[in-house]
Amino acid sequence: KAGVTQTPRYLIKTRGQQVTLSCSPISGHRSVSWYQQTPGQGLQFLFEYFSETQRNKGNFPGRFSGRQFSNSRSEMNVSTLELGDSALYLCASSSMDGAGYTFGSGTRLTVV
Amino acid sequence: QQQVKQSPQSLIVQKGGISIINCAYENTAFDYFPWYQQFPGKGPALLIAIRPDVSEKKEGRFTISFNKSAKQFSLHIMDSQPGDSATYFCAARVTGNQFYFGTGTSLTVIP
């Protein structure tokens, strides 16, 4: 059974640019959540999508957005990148009630 | 505001010893408490989890102790091994799959 797949694994962007990260959930999982992980703040919840609808949202500025497609794949977009956006971005998928909550290996974003 | 407080930040244990990591929370709406293990370059992996109607859960060398009245829960790793060296996160969930994570504990098991 394939796990959660995140692409790309590494990304380097310049301040002011935008970036799109992709997450393919485990087959059958319809919930996809995104997290930002930094050494100082730990794991911070960004948002959760279920059946193409945003179900929960964390406390991040509007520059962070996401969407989910009909096949449950999800994308996360960050516009007008700032140096502080450098982090490991993790995606997790699960069934509706949270069963099998599984993380991908993440996308390491570096903003220079 | 940290919804889940985790301690210690780092822990060094001799091989064969017991590793104990503690977490505390305030929100009584939390309904599920997992622990995750993370190795460098990898995403967190679910280790063991407990629901608030259970006081203890054991899986192999890993045990969660849960104290609902004190709003605390802890992870015990028995017979700690060098391969257990990793970062451990406690977490708590509200409905809708929104998880709050502790700040992590870096565990080093010395051979």
PDB file of all heavy atoms in Angstrom, chain A residues 9 31 33 35 37 43 45 48 55-56 90 94-98 101 103-105, chain B residues 2 32 36 38 41-46 89 93 95-99 101-103:
ATOM      1  N   ARG A   9      10.525  17.109  -3.128  1.00  0.00           N
ATOM      2  CA  ARG A   9      11.122  16.896  -1.809  1.00  0.00           C
ATOM      3  C   ARG A   9      11.858  18.141  -1.332  1.00  0.00           C
ATOM      4  O   ARG A   9      11.856  18.451  -0.148  1.00  0.00           O
ATOM      5  CB  ARG A   9      12.089  15.716  -1.843  1.00  0.00           C
ATOM      6  CG  ARG A   9      11.432  14.352  -1.919  1.00  0.00           C
ATOM      7  CD  ARG A   9      10.565  14.044  -0.690  1.00  0.00           C
ATOM      8  NE  ARG A   9      11.212  14.308   0.582  1.00  0.00           N
ATOM      9  CZ  ARG A   9      12.004  13.461   1.216  1.00  0.00           C
ATOM     10  NH1 ARG A   9      12.283  12.283   0.686  1.00  0.00           N
ATOM     11  NH2 ARG A   9      12.533  13.775   2.391  1.00  0.00           N
ATOM     12  N   SER A  31      -9.353  12.775   3.528  1.00  0.00           N
ATOM     13  CA  SER A  31      -8.967  13.961   4.307  1.00  0.00           C
ATOM     14  C   SER A  31      -7.473  14.201   4.121  1.00  0.00           C
ATOM     15  O   SER A  31      -6.658  13.281   4.249  1.00  0.00           O
ATOM     16  CB  SER A  31      -9.273  13.739   5.788  1.00  0.00           C
ATOM     17  OG  SER A  31      -8.687  14.754   6.579  1.00  0.00           O
ATOM     18  N   SER A  33      -4.468  16.998   5.351  1.00  0.00           N
ATOM     19  CA  SER A  33      -4.100  18.133   6.203  1.00  0.00           C
ATOM     20  C   SER A  33      -2.682  18.572   5.876  1.00  0.00           C
ATOM     21  O   SER A  33      -1.848  17.750   5.487  1.00  0.00           O
ATOM     22  CB  SER A  33      -4.188  17.747   7.682  1.00  0.00           C
ATOM     23  OG  SER A  33      -5.493  17.364   8.037  1.00  0.00           O
ATOM     24  N   TYR A  35       0.764  20.831   7.351  1.00  0.00           N
ATOM     25  CA  TYR A  35       1.434  21.375   8.508  1.00  0.00           C
ATOM     26  C   TYR A  35       2.731  22.047   8.090  1.00  0.00           C
ATOM     27  O   TYR A  35       3.371  21.626   7.124  1.00  0.00           O
ATOM     28  CB  TYR A  35       1.790  20.272   9.527  1.00  0.00           C
ATOM     29  CG  TYR A  35       0.603  19.658  10.218  1.00  0.00           C
ATOM     30  CD1 TYR A  35      -0.138  18.658   9.604  1.00  0.00           C
ATOM     31  CD2 TYR A  35       0.210  20.093  11.487  1.00  0.00           C
ATOM     32  CE1 TYR A  35      -1.231  18.092  10.240  1.00  0.00           C
ATOM     33  CE2 TYR A  35      -0.879  19.527  12.120  1.00  0.00           C
ATOM     34  CZ  TYR A  35      -1.598  18.533  11.489  1.00  0.00           C
ATOM     35  OH  TYR A  35      -2.681  17.986  12.112  1.00  0.00           O
ATOM     36  N   GLN A  37       6.468  22.748   9.644  1.00  0.00           N
ATOM     37  CA  GLN A  37       7.350  22.356  10.738  1.00  0.00           C
ATOM     38  C   GLN A  37       8.633  23.170  10.702  1.00  0.00           C
ATOM     39  O   GLN A  37       9.352  23.180   9.702  1.00  0.00           O
ATOM     40  CB  GLN A  37       7.694  20.860  10.680  1.00  0.00           C
ATOM     41  CG  GLN A  37       8.489  20.391  11.887  1.00  0.00           C
ATOM     42  CD  GLN A  37       8.750  18.905  11.902  1.00  0.00           C
ATOM     43  OE1 GLN A  37       8.770  18.229  10.868  1.00  0.00           O
ATOM     44  NE2 GLN A  37       8.952  18.345  13.091  1.00  0.00           N
ATOM     45  N   LEU A  43       5.381  21.743  14.934  1.00  0.00           N
ATOM     46  CA  LEU A  43       4.389  21.432  13.904  1.00  0.00           C
ATOM     47  C   LEU A  43       3.183  22.342  14.070  1.00  0.00           C
ATOM     48  O   LEU A  43       2.488  22.293  15.072  1.00  0.00           O
ATOM     49  CB  LEU A  43       3.931  19.979  14.025  1.00  0.00           C
ATOM     50  CG  LEU A  43       4.833  18.931  13.400  1.00  0.00           C
ATOM     51  CD1 LEU A  43       4.724  17.615  14.133  1.00  0.00           C
ATOM     52  CD2 LEU A  43       4.443  18.743  11.941  1.00  0.00           C
ATOM     53  N   PHE A  45      -0.462  23.572  12.433  1.00  0.00           N
ATOM     54  CA  PHE A  45      -1.537  23.186  11.517  1.00  0.00           C
ATOM     55  C   PHE A  45      -1.864  24.327  10.572  1.00  0.00           C
ATOM     56  O   PHE A  45      -2.104  25.459  10.993  1.00  0.00           O
ATOM     57  CB  PHE A  45      -2.764  22.808  12.338  1.00  0.00           C
ATOM     58  CG  PHE A  45      -3.994  22.507  11.550  1.00  0.00           C
ATOM     59  CD1 PHE A  45      -4.144  21.277  10.922  1.00  0.00           C
ATOM     60  CD2 PHE A  45      -5.014  23.440  11.441  1.00  0.00           C
ATOM     61  CE1 PHE A  45      -5.293  20.985  10.204  1.00  0.00           C
ATOM     62  CE2 PHE A  45      -6.164  23.162  10.734  1.00  0.00           C
ATOM     63  CZ  PHE A  45      -6.304  21.934  10.107  1.00  0.00           C
ATOM     64  N   GLU A  48      -7.061  21.769   6.667  1.00  0.00           N
ATOM     65  CA  GLU A  48      -7.482  20.418   6.327  1.00  0.00           C
ATOM     66  C   GLU A  48      -8.547  20.475   5.244  1.00  0.00           C
ATOM     67  O   GLU A  48      -9.439  21.331   5.290  1.00  0.00           O
ATOM     68  CB  GLU A  48      -8.066  19.692   7.539  1.00  0.00           C
ATOM     69  CG  GLU A  48      -8.486  18.243   7.226  1.00  0.00           C
ATOM     70  CD  GLU A  48      -9.711  17.769   7.972  1.00  0.00           C
ATOM     71  OE1 GLU A  48     -10.307  18.552   8.750  1.00  0.00           O
ATOM     72  OE2 GLU A  48     -10.094  16.602   7.776  1.00  0.00           O
ATOM     73  N   ARG A  55     -12.104  22.127   5.612  1.00  0.00           N
ATOM     74  CA  ARG A  55     -12.903  21.816   6.793  1.00  0.00           C
ATOM     75  C   ARG A  55     -12.384  22.523   8.042  1.00  0.00           C
ATOM     76  O   ARG A  55     -13.143  22.835   8.952  1.00  0.00           O
ATOM     77  CB  ARG A  55     -12.942  20.302   6.989  1.00  0.00           C
ATOM     78  CG  ARG A  55     -13.907  19.845   8.048  1.00  0.00           C
ATOM     79  CD  ARG A  55     -14.270  18.389   7.893  1.00  0.00           C
ATOM     80  NE  ARG A  55     -13.169  17.483   8.162  1.00  0.00           N
ATOM     81  CZ  ARG A  55     -13.327  16.160   8.324  1.00  0.00           C
ATOM     82  NH1 ARG A  55     -14.527  15.625   8.294  1.00  0.00           N
ATOM     83  NH2 ARG A  55     -12.276  15.386   8.519  1.00  0.00           N
ATOM     84  N   ASN A  56     -11.073  22.740   8.108  1.00  0.00           N
ATOM     85  CA  ASN A  56     -10.463  23.432   9.241  1.00  0.00           C
ATOM     86  C   ASN A  56      -9.335  24.304   8.741  1.00  0.00           C
ATOM     87  O   ASN A  56      -8.701  23.988   7.718  1.00  0.00           O
ATOM     88  CB  ASN A  56      -9.888  22.434  10.258  1.00  0.00           C
ATOM     89  CG  ASN A  56     -10.955  21.785  11.094  1.00  0.00           C
ATOM     90  OD1 ASN A  56     -11.673  22.445  11.830  1.00  0.00           O
ATOM     91  ND2 ASN A  56     -11.087  20.476  10.963  1.00  0.00           N
ATOM     92  N   LEU A  90       4.594  19.516   5.694  1.00  0.00           N
ATOM     93  CA  LEU A  90       4.139  18.130   5.779  1.00  0.00           C
ATOM     94  C   LEU A  90       2.667  18.025   5.437  1.00  0.00           C
ATOM     95  O   LEU A  90       1.869  18.886   5.800  1.00  0.00           O
ATOM     96  CB  LEU A  90       4.350  17.597   7.200  1.00  0.00           C
ATOM     97  CG  LEU A  90       5.805  17.406   7.634  1.00  0.00           C
ATOM     98  CD1 LEU A  90       5.902  17.371   9.147  1.00  0.00           C
ATOM     99  CD2 LEU A  90       6.361  16.124   7.042  1.00  0.00           C
ATOM    100  N   SER A  94      -5.920  10.908   5.941  1.00  0.00           N
ATOM    101  CA  SER A  94      -6.641   9.989   6.813  1.00  0.00           C
ATOM    102  C   SER A  94      -8.056   9.788   6.288  1.00  0.00           C
ATOM    103  O   SER A  94      -8.492  10.452   5.351  1.00  0.00           O
ATOM    104  CB  SER A  94      -6.698  10.532   8.246  1.00  0.00           C
ATOM    105  OG  SER A  94      -7.577  11.636   8.313  1.00  0.00           O
ATOM    106  N   SER A  95      -8.754   8.879   6.922  1.00  0.00           N
ATOM    107  CA  SER A  95     -10.171   8.727   6.642  1.00  0.00           C
ATOM    108  C   SER A  95     -10.911   9.879   7.342  1.00  0.00           C
ATOM    109  O   SER A  95     -10.303  10.663   8.062  1.00  0.00           O
ATOM    110  CB  SER A  95     -10.667   7.377   7.145  1.00  0.00           C
ATOM    111  OG  SER A  95     -10.447   7.295   8.539  1.00  0.00           O
ATOM    112  N   MET A  96     -12.190   9.945   7.153  1.00  0.00           N
ATOM    113  CA  MET A  96     -12.962  11.079   7.656  1.00  0.00           C
ATOM    114  C   MET A  96     -12.840  11.245   9.161  1.00  0.00           C
ATOM    115  O   MET A  96     -12.726  12.356   9.671  1.00  0.00           O
ATOM    116  CB  MET A  96     -14.438  10.899   7.287  1.00  0.00           C
ATOM    117  CG  MET A  96     -15.322  12.065   7.725  1.00  0.00           C
ATOM    118  SD  MET A  96     -17.044  11.834   7.267  1.00  0.00           S
ATOM    119  CE  MET A  96     -17.512  10.525   8.365  1.00  0.00           C
ATOM    120  N   ASP A  97     -12.802  10.148   9.882  1.00  0.00           N
ATOM    121  CA  ASP A  97     -12.768  10.228  11.341  1.00  0.00           C
ATOM    122  C   ASP A  97     -11.360  10.215  11.902  1.00  0.00           C
ATOM    123  O   ASP A  97     -11.166  10.094  13.112  1.00  0.00           O
ATOM    124  CB  ASP A  97     -13.555   9.065  11.949  1.00  0.00           C
ATOM    125  CG  ASP A  97     -12.956   7.707  11.591  1.00  0.00           C
ATOM    126  OD1 ASP A  97     -11.980   7.661  10.815  1.00  0.00           O
ATOM    127  OD2 ASP A  97     -13.470   6.694  12.079  1.00  0.00           O
ATOM    128  N   GLY A  98     -10.366  10.352  11.035  1.00  0.00           N
ATOM    129  CA  GLY A  98      -8.992  10.440  11.504  1.00  0.00           C
ATOM    130  C   GLY A  98      -8.249   9.133  11.574  1.00  0.00           C
ATOM    131  O   GLY A  98      -7.058   9.112  11.888  1.00  0.00           O
ATOM    132  N   TYR A 101      -4.165   8.253  10.354  1.00  0.00           N
ATOM    133  CA  TYR A 101      -3.551   9.558  10.081  1.00  0.00           C
ATOM    134  C   TYR A 101      -2.076   9.348   9.795  1.00  0.00           C
ATOM    135  O   TYR A 101      -1.305   9.012  10.679  1.00  0.00           O
ATOM    136  CB  TYR A 101      -3.748  10.450  11.289  1.00  0.00           C
ATOM    137  CG  TYR A 101      -3.703  11.935  11.042  1.00  0.00           C
ATOM    138  CD1 TYR A 101      -4.801  12.600  10.510  1.00  0.00           C
ATOM    139  CD2 TYR A 101      -2.579  12.675  11.376  1.00  0.00           C
ATOM    140  CE1 TYR A 101      -4.775  13.970  10.312  1.00  0.00           C
ATOM    141  CE2 TYR A 101      -2.549  14.041  11.169  1.00  0.00           C
ATOM    142  CZ  TYR A 101      -3.646  14.686  10.641  1.00  0.00           C
ATOM    143  OH  TYR A 101      -3.624  16.039  10.448  1.00  0.00           O
ATOM    144  N   PHE A 103       1.556  10.711   7.776  1.00  0.00           N
ATOM    145  CA  PHE A 103       2.294  11.821   7.190  1.00  0.00           C
ATOM    146  C   PHE A 103       3.135  11.376   6.004  1.00  0.00           C
ATOM    147  O   PHE A 103       3.622  10.239   5.957  1.00  0.00           O
ATOM    148  CB  PHE A 103       3.247  12.425   8.225  1.00  0.00           C
ATOM    149  CG  PHE A 103       2.575  13.310   9.243  1.00  0.00           C
ATOM    150  CD1 PHE A 103       2.088  12.777  10.425  1.00  0.00           C
ATOM    151  CD2 PHE A 103       2.443  14.671   9.023  1.00  0.00           C
ATOM    152  CE1 PHE A 103       1.478  13.587  11.372  1.00  0.00           C
ATOM    153  CE2 PHE A 103       1.835  15.495   9.964  1.00  0.00           C
ATOM    154  CZ  PHE A 103       1.356  14.948  11.136  1.00  0.00           C
ATOM    155  N   GLY A 104       3.336  12.303   5.080  1.00  0.00           N
ATOM    156  CA  GLY A 104       4.327  12.128   4.041  1.00  0.00           C
ATOM    157  C   GLY A 104       5.694  12.538   4.569  1.00  0.00           C
ATOM    158  O   GLY A 104       5.827  12.929   5.734  1.00  0.00           O
ATOM    159  N   SER A 105       6.708  12.464   3.711  1.00  0.00           N
ATOM    160  CA  SER A 105       8.060  12.811   4.124  1.00  0.00           C
ATOM    161  C   SER A 105       8.323  14.312   4.062  1.00  0.00           C
ATOM    162  O   SER A 105       9.351  14.781   4.541  1.00  0.00           O
ATOM    163  CB  SER A 105       9.090  12.077   3.263  1.00  0.00           C
ATOM    164  OG  SER A 105       9.035  10.690   3.536  1.00  0.00           O
TER     165      SER A 105
ATOM    166  N   GLN B   2       0.398  27.603  23.270  1.00  0.00           N
ATOM    167  CA  GLN B   2       0.687  26.212  22.998  1.00  0.00           C
ATOM    168  C   GLN B   2      -0.417  25.356  23.615  1.00  0.00           C
ATOM    169  O   GLN B   2      -0.560  25.301  24.835  1.00  0.00           O
ATOM    170  CB  GLN B   2       2.057  25.860  23.594  1.00  0.00           C
ATOM    171  CG  GLN B   2       2.627  24.546  23.151  1.00  0.00           C
ATOM    172  CD  GLN B   2       3.020  24.512  21.687  1.00  0.00           C
ATOM    173  OE1 GLN B   2       3.424  25.523  21.131  1.00  0.00           O
ATOM    174  NE2 GLN B   2       2.892  23.369  21.069  1.00  0.00           N
ATOM    175  N   TYR B  32      -8.582  12.456  21.188  1.00  0.00           N
ATOM    176  CA  TYR B  32      -7.673  11.415  20.677  1.00  0.00           C
ATOM    177  C   TYR B  32      -6.261  11.927  20.874  1.00  0.00           C
ATOM    178  O   TYR B  32      -5.964  13.088  20.553  1.00  0.00           O
ATOM    179  CB  TYR B  32      -7.989  11.173  19.198  1.00  0.00           C
ATOM    180  CG  TYR B  32      -7.112  10.180  18.468  1.00  0.00           C
ATOM    181  CD1 TYR B  32      -7.172   8.820  18.755  1.00  0.00           C
ATOM    182  CD2 TYR B  32      -6.251  10.598  17.459  1.00  0.00           C
ATOM    183  CE1 TYR B  32      -6.390   7.907  18.061  1.00  0.00           C
ATOM    184  CE2 TYR B  32      -5.468   9.697  16.763  1.00  0.00           C
ATOM    185  CZ  TYR B  32      -5.546   8.353  17.058  1.00  0.00           C
ATOM    186  OH  TYR B  32      -4.772   7.454  16.362  1.00  0.00           O
ATOM    187  N   TYR B  36       3.882  10.484  18.023  1.00  0.00           N
ATOM    188  CA  TYR B  36       4.564  10.293  16.752  1.00  0.00           C
ATOM    189  C   TYR B  36       6.070  10.242  16.975  1.00  0.00           C
ATOM    190  O   TYR B  36       6.622  10.904  17.864  1.00  0.00           O
ATOM    191  CB  TYR B  36       4.229  11.423  15.775  1.00  0.00           C
ATOM    192  CG  TYR B  36       2.840  11.316  15.187  1.00  0.00           C
ATOM    193  CD1 TYR B  36       1.736  11.812  15.864  1.00  0.00           C
ATOM    194  CD2 TYR B  36       2.637  10.696  13.961  1.00  0.00           C
ATOM    195  CE1 TYR B  36       0.465  11.695  15.331  1.00  0.00           C
ATOM    196  CE2 TYR B  36       1.365  10.581  13.418  1.00  0.00           C
ATOM    197  CZ  TYR B  36       0.291  11.085  14.112  1.00  0.00           C
ATOM    198  OH  TYR B  36      -0.964  10.964  13.579  1.00  0.00           O
ATOM    199  N   GLN B  38       9.700  10.722  14.848  1.00  0.00           N
ATOM    200  CA  GLN B  38      10.223  11.299  13.610  1.00  0.00           C
ATOM    201  C   GLN B  38      11.740  11.147  13.547  1.00  0.00           C
ATOM    202  O   GLN B  38      12.448  11.566  14.462  1.00  0.00           O
ATOM    203  CB  GLN B  38       9.846  12.784  13.490  1.00  0.00           C
ATOM    204  CG  GLN B  38      10.243  13.408  12.152  1.00  0.00           C
ATOM    205  CD  GLN B  38       9.770  14.852  12.025  1.00  0.00           C
ATOM    206  OE1 GLN B  38       9.618  15.557  13.013  1.00  0.00           O
ATOM    207  NE2 GLN B  38       9.538  15.298  10.795  1.00  0.00           N
ATOM    208  N   GLY B  41      14.836  13.762   8.205  1.00  0.00           N
ATOM    209  CA  GLY B  41      14.519  13.611   6.793  1.00  0.00           C
ATOM    210  C   GLY B  41      13.225  12.875   6.503  1.00  0.00           C
ATOM    211  O   GLY B  41      12.879  12.661   5.337  1.00  0.00           O
ATOM    212  N   LYS B  42      12.513  12.517   7.555  1.00  0.00           N
ATOM    213  CA  LYS B  42      11.242  11.784   7.386  1.00  0.00           C
ATOM    214  C   LYS B  42      10.107  12.548   8.048  1.00  0.00           C
ATOM    215  O   LYS B  42      10.322  13.388   8.919  1.00  0.00           O
ATOM    216  CB  LYS B  42      11.351  10.392   8.038  1.00  0.00           C
ATOM    217  CG  LYS B  42      12.425   9.507   7.443  1.00  0.00           C
ATOM    218  CD  LYS B  42      12.046   9.023   6.066  1.00  0.00           C
ATOM    219  CE  LYS B  42      13.032   7.987   5.556  1.00  0.00           C
ATOM    220  NZ  LYS B  42      12.668   7.510   4.200  1.00  0.00           N
ATOM    221  N   GLY B  43       8.892  12.215   7.613  1.00  0.00           N
ATOM    222  CA  GLY B  43       7.742  12.770   8.301  1.00  0.00           C
ATOM    223  C   GLY B  43       7.466  11.994   9.581  1.00  0.00           C
ATOM    224  O   GLY B  43       7.959  10.890   9.767  1.00  0.00           O
ATOM    225  N   PRO B  44       6.692  12.570  10.496  1.00  0.00           N
ATOM    226  CA  PRO B  44       6.340  11.861  11.731  1.00  0.00           C
ATOM    227  C   PRO B  44       5.562  10.585  11.423  1.00  0.00           C
ATOM    228  O   PRO B  44       4.727  10.572  10.519  1.00  0.00           O
ATOM    229  CB  PRO B  44       5.461  12.869  12.475  1.00  0.00           C
ATOM    230  CG  PRO B  44       5.782  14.194  11.863  1.00  0.00           C
ATOM    231  CD  PRO B  44       6.112  13.915  10.441  1.00  0.00           C
ATOM    232  N   ALA B  45       5.828   9.544  12.164  1.00  0.00           N
ATOM    233  CA  ALA B  45       5.138   8.263  11.999  1.00  0.00           C
ATOM    234  C   ALA B  45       4.394   7.936  13.286  1.00  0.00           C
ATOM    235  O   ALA B  45       4.944   8.061  14.385  1.00  0.00           O
ATOM    236  CB  ALA B  45       6.126   7.161  11.666  1.00  0.00           C
ATOM    237  N   LEU B  46       3.140   7.523  13.145  1.00  0.00           N
ATOM    238  CA  LEU B  46       2.332   7.183  14.315  1.00  0.00           C
ATOM    239  C   LEU B  46       2.945   6.014  15.064  1.00  0.00           C
ATOM    240  O   LEU B  46       3.245   4.966  14.492  1.00  0.00           O
ATOM    241  CB  LEU B  46       0.914   6.823  13.882  1.00  0.00           C
ATOM    242  CG  LEU B  46      -0.045   6.407  14.992  1.00  0.00           C
ATOM    243  CD1 LEU B  46      -0.270   7.575  15.963  1.00  0.00           C
ATOM    244  CD2 LEU B  46      -1.364   5.946  14.409  1.00  0.00           C
ATOM    245  N   PHE B  89       6.854  13.362  19.285  1.00  0.00           N
ATOM    246  CA  PHE B  89       5.841  14.400  19.437  1.00  0.00           C
ATOM    247  C   PHE B  89       4.573  13.796  20.027  1.00  0.00           C
ATOM    248  O   PHE B  89       4.097  12.757  19.558  1.00  0.00           O
ATOM    249  CB  PHE B  89       5.470  15.006  18.077  1.00  0.00           C
ATOM    250  CG  PHE B  89       6.576  15.774  17.413  1.00  0.00           C
ATOM    251  CD1 PHE B  89       7.425  15.141  16.516  1.00  0.00           C
ATOM    252  CD2 PHE B  89       6.748  17.123  17.663  1.00  0.00           C
ATOM    253  CE1 PHE B  89       8.435  15.845  15.885  1.00  0.00           C
ATOM    254  CE2 PHE B  89       7.755  17.832  17.035  1.00  0.00           C
ATOM    255  CZ  PHE B  89       8.600  17.196  16.144  1.00  0.00           C
ATOM    256  N   ARG B  93      -6.164  15.786  19.356  1.00  0.00           N
ATOM    257  CA  ARG B  93      -7.054  16.088  18.239  1.00  0.00           C
ATOM    258  C   ARG B  93      -8.408  16.620  18.724  1.00  0.00           C
ATOM    259  O   ARG B  93      -8.987  16.116  19.684  1.00  0.00           O
ATOM    260  CB  ARG B  93      -7.310  14.828  17.416  1.00  0.00           C
ATOM    261  CG  ARG B  93      -8.134  15.060  16.159  1.00  0.00           C
ATOM    262  CD  ARG B  93      -8.549  13.750  15.529  1.00  0.00           C
ATOM    263  NE  ARG B  93      -9.555  13.054  16.319  1.00  0.00           N
ATOM    264  CZ  ARG B  93     -10.097  11.886  15.956  1.00  0.00           C
ATOM    265  NH1 ARG B  93      -9.710  11.300  14.854  1.00  0.00           N
ATOM    266  NH2 ARG B  93     -11.000  11.315  16.721  1.00  0.00           N
ATOM    267  N   THR B  95     -12.280  17.421  16.909  1.00  0.00           N
ATOM    268  CA  THR B  95     -13.026  16.807  15.814  1.00  0.00           C
ATOM    269  C   THR B  95     -12.708  17.498  14.498  1.00  0.00           C
ATOM    270  O   THR B  95     -12.390  18.690  14.477  1.00  0.00           O
ATOM    271  CB  THR B  95     -14.543  16.891  16.079  1.00  0.00           C
ATOM    272  OG1 THR B  95     -14.878  18.252  16.301  1.00  0.00           O
ATOM    273  CG2 THR B  95     -14.919  16.067  17.291  1.00  0.00           C
ATOM    274  N   GLY B  96     -12.775  16.747  13.431  1.00  0.00           N
ATOM    275  CA  GLY B  96     -12.472  17.293  12.122  1.00  0.00           C
ATOM    276  C   GLY B  96     -11.018  17.149  11.744  1.00  0.00           C
ATOM    277  O   GLY B  96     -10.550  17.764  10.796  1.00  0.00           O
ATOM    278  N   ASN B  97     -10.297  16.309  12.475  1.00  0.00           N
ATOM    279  CA  ASN B  97      -8.900  16.023  12.127  1.00  0.00           C
ATOM    280  C   ASN B  97      -7.966  17.200  12.292  1.00  0.00           C
ATOM    281  O   ASN B  97      -6.972  17.315  11.578  1.00  0.00           O
ATOM    282  CB  ASN B  97      -8.794  15.493  10.679  1.00  0.00           C
ATOM    283  CG  ASN B  97      -9.219  14.060  10.579  1.00  0.00           C
ATOM    284  OD1 ASN B  97      -9.342  13.383  11.588  1.00  0.00           O
ATOM    285  ND2 ASN B  97      -9.457  13.597   9.374  1.00  0.00           N
ATOM    286  N   GLN B  98      -8.255  18.106  13.179  1.00  0.00           N
ATOM    287  CA  GLN B  98      -7.301  19.154  13.496  1.00  0.00           C
ATOM    288  C   GLN B  98      -6.487  18.718  14.705  1.00  0.00           C
ATOM    289  O   GLN B  98      -7.025  18.534  15.790  1.00  0.00           O
ATOM    290  CB  GLN B  98      -7.998  20.480  13.787  1.00  0.00           C
ATOM    291  CG  GLN B  98      -6.999  21.599  14.036  1.00  0.00           C
ATOM    292  CD  GLN B  98      -7.648  22.971  14.014  1.00  0.00           C
ATOM    293  OE1 GLN B  98      -8.826  23.106  13.672  1.00  0.00           O
ATOM    294  NE2 GLN B  98      -6.899  23.987  14.362  1.00  0.00           N
ATOM    295  N   PHE B  99      -5.195  18.550  14.481  1.00  0.00           N
ATOM    296  CA  PHE B  99      -4.302  18.093  15.535  1.00  0.00           C
ATOM    297  C   PHE B  99      -3.440  19.237  16.051  1.00  0.00           C
ATOM    298  O   PHE B  99      -2.997  20.090  15.287  1.00  0.00           O
ATOM    299  CB  PHE B  99      -3.371  16.997  15.010  1.00  0.00           C
ATOM    300  CG  PHE B  99      -4.027  15.648  14.840  1.00  0.00           C
ATOM    301  CD1 PHE B  99      -4.861  15.407  13.759  1.00  0.00           C
ATOM    302  CD2 PHE B  99      -3.815  14.638  15.753  1.00  0.00           C
ATOM    303  CE1 PHE B  99      -5.465  14.167  13.595  1.00  0.00           C
ATOM    304  CE2 PHE B  99      -4.412  13.393  15.599  1.00  0.00           C
ATOM    305  CZ  PHE B  99      -5.237  13.154  14.511  1.00  0.00           C
ATOM    306  N   PHE B 101       0.121  19.744  18.151  1.00  0.00           N
ATOM    307  CA  PHE B 101       1.304  18.978  18.500  1.00  0.00           C
ATOM    308  C   PHE B 101       2.109  19.648  19.611  1.00  0.00           C
ATOM    309  O   PHE B 101       2.147  20.877  19.701  1.00  0.00           O
ATOM    310  CB  PHE B 101       2.209  18.823  17.269  1.00  0.00           C
ATOM    311  CG  PHE B 101       1.699  17.815  16.277  1.00  0.00           C
ATOM    312  CD1 PHE B 101       0.702  18.142  15.373  1.00  0.00           C
ATOM    313  CD2 PHE B 101       2.205  16.526  16.268  1.00  0.00           C
ATOM    314  CE1 PHE B 101       0.219  17.214  14.470  1.00  0.00           C
ATOM    315  CE2 PHE B 101       1.733  15.587  15.365  1.00  0.00           C
ATOM    316  CZ  PHE B 101       0.744  15.931  14.468  1.00  0.00           C
ATOM    317  N   GLY B 102       2.761  18.829  20.421  1.00  0.00           N
ATOM    318  CA  GLY B 102       3.752  19.331  21.341  1.00  0.00           C
ATOM    319  C   GLY B 102       4.980  19.769  20.560  1.00  0.00           C
ATOM    320  O   GLY B 102       5.086  19.526  19.354  1.00  0.00           O
ATOM    321  N   THR B 103       5.912  20.388  21.252  1.00  0.00           N
ATOM    322  CA  THR B 103       7.089  20.949  20.587  1.00  0.00           C
ATOM    323  C   THR B 103       8.178  19.919  20.329  1.00  0.00           C
ATOM    324  O   THR B 103       9.185  20.229  19.712  1.00  0.00           O
ATOM    325  CB  THR B 103       7.673  22.104  21.405  1.00  0.00           C
ATOM    326  OG1 THR B 103       7.822  21.677  22.760  1.00  0.00           O
ATOM    327  CG2 THR B 103       6.756  23.322  21.354  1.00  0.00           C
TER     328      THR B 103
END
